[in-house]
Amino acid sequence: MKYSSYIKKRASIFDKTIEFLEDKVNSTKICNKIKVPVPILFHILDKIDDLKKIKLPENCVIKFNNLACSKGIVIRKENQFVKYKNIHEVIQYLHKNKTQNPHCQISIRNIAQKVIIEELLFPEEHVLYDIKCYTFYGKVRFIHIINPEKRNDTYMFDETGKRVYIFERDLQNKTSDLKKPKHYDNIVKYANKLAQEYCKKYALRIDFYSTTRGAMFGEFTFNPCAGNGLSEKGDELMGSFLKI
């Protein structure tokens, strides 16, 4: 089976473990339990309007515990909201962006929604790279590095450090001489640790950042890109690691 077909098929099936791990409140707790670095969690709120009742940190990220694709995220830096004038505009934005994508993994649709306020991460390099580890049954096989400011600036390595071209947009950067982020090795180490401890029965993506505080966990993603964007050969290569 191709990897894309596997992801699309699984997205339509409920799985209790996926529901648990996709909840960002739970993922923070289990990272702390096995000493995988994770952003500090300052607050967990039951309602969006509860933001008016708390004092926000000078630097933080406000987001939901159950949404994907960078939806419903607000950044606060040096006591100012990025893109918003005040807390009322933030609350209005969150109310408009609190629903889940209909193409998401069905297992996360029933997660009780919370608003979480966590530490704002700062980049070790000039940009806070998204570093996405594709793991299969407890082991990292591929590492995808994405520039969040220029989403087409992407490149990928296999577990040996060799460049591979799994996604179509990676092919656009085939001639680029791109370096691994500073905390690359520790990120792979921590992704393997999480995959071994919690995900030995699954193929999934585990996301990290390379920050001024070192490798930092982002989230578990069981429906990466909804199975889209892979090259034909990349889709077959990823599929070859599946146990089905």
Side-chain angles (χ1 to χ4, degrees):
M1 179 182 283
K2 291 183 178 180
Y3 185 77
S4 59
S5 300
Y6 168 79
I7 293 298
K8 292 176 188 298
K9 181 179 179 181
R10 185 178 63 187
S12 65
I13 302 170
F14 178 79
D15 184 293
K16 192 67 178 177
T17 299
I18 292 175
E19 181 188 54
F20 179 84
L21 292 176
E22 286 269 19
D23 186 332
K24 294 176 178 62
V25 174
N26 294 333
S27 62
T28 294
K29 291 177 181 178
I30 65 173
C31 282
N32 285 328
K33 184 177 180 180
I34 64 170
K35 294 182 170 48
V36 170
V38 64
I40 299 168
L41 183 56
F42 297 114
H43 299 281
I44 303 171
L45 306 177
D46 291 324
K47 299 178 181 178
I48 296 171
D49 291 337
D50 289 344
L51 284 166
K52 293 182 289 188
K53 302 176 182 178
I54 63 170
K55 179 176 175 58
L56 291 168
E58 178 181 352
N59 299 296
C60 64
V61 177
I62 303 169
K63 61 185 182 181
F64 295 104
N65 64 317
N66 65 336
L67 298 191
C69 302
S70 300
K71 186 176 181 180
I73 294 177
V74 175
I75 295 173
R76 179 176 170 86
K77 190 174 183 180
E78 297 178 353
N79 281 324
Q80 298 293 322
F81 296 111
V82 177
K83 298 183 180 180
Y84 306 98
K85 293 180 181 178
N86 52 49
I87 192 65
H88 300 291
E89 286 192 2
V90 169
I91 289 172
Q92 185 179 41
Y93 163 77
L94 292 173
H95 274 296
K96 289 181 179 179
N97 292 272
K98 64 182 180 180
T99 57
Q100 187 58 263
N101 187 313
H103 301 295
C104 76
Q105 187 89 32
I106 194 170
S107 302
I108 71 176
R109 296 180 192 175
N110 293 327
I111 295 173
Q113 190 167 77
K114 306 283 185 181
V115 178
I116 59 179
I117 296 91
E118 68 177 25
E119 173 187 8
L120 176 64
L121 302 175
F122 292 94
E124 180 64 56
E125 287 84 10
H126 65 285
V127 65
L128 189 64
Y129 286 105
D130 289 338
I131 303 172
K132 304 178 181 298
C133 299
Y134 285 83
T135 75
F136 292 79
Y137 314 108
K139 184 174 176 55
V140 174
R141 297 293 187 180
F142 301 101
I143 303 92
H144 204 192
I145 301 169
I146 300 173
N147 181 343
E149 297 175 3
K150 300 177 181 179
R151 301 298 294 184
N152 286 327
D153 286 357
T154 70
Y155 51 110
M156 201 167 195
F157 298 100
D158 67 13
E159 60 189 299
T160 70
K162 177 184 175 182
R163 283 283 295 273
V164 289
Y165 305 93
I166 302 294
F167 287 86
E168 290 285 357
R169 57 182 172 171
D170 296 332
L171 294 167
Q172 301 172 20
N173 301 309
K174 199 166 185 177
T175 60
S176 301
D177 183 20
L178 301 168
K179 297 180 180 179
K180 296 176 183 176
K182 181 176 179 180
H183 301 296
Y184 177 93
D185 290 340
N186 275 338
I187 284 170
V188 175
K189 180 184 76 173
Y190 287 130
N192 272 316
K193 187 174 184 179
L194 283 168
Q196 273 288 311
E197 186 71 25
Y198 300 112
C199 308
K200 291 182 75 171
K201 295 182 179 180
Y202 297 90
L204 75 152
R205 199 183 74 198
I206 305 178
D207 300 349
F208 279 82
Y209 300 100
S210 181
T211 80
T212 51
R213 292 214 296 117
M216 197 67 62
F217 172 81
E219 62 186 354
F220 292 101
T221 303
F222 284 86
N223 188 29
C225 303
N228 298 316
L230 290 88
S231 68
E232 189 70 22
K233 290 184 178 179
D235 204 356
E236 291 175 357
L237 177 59
M238 294 271 273
S240 69
F241 287 91
L242 295 172
K243 297 178 182 178
I244 53 174

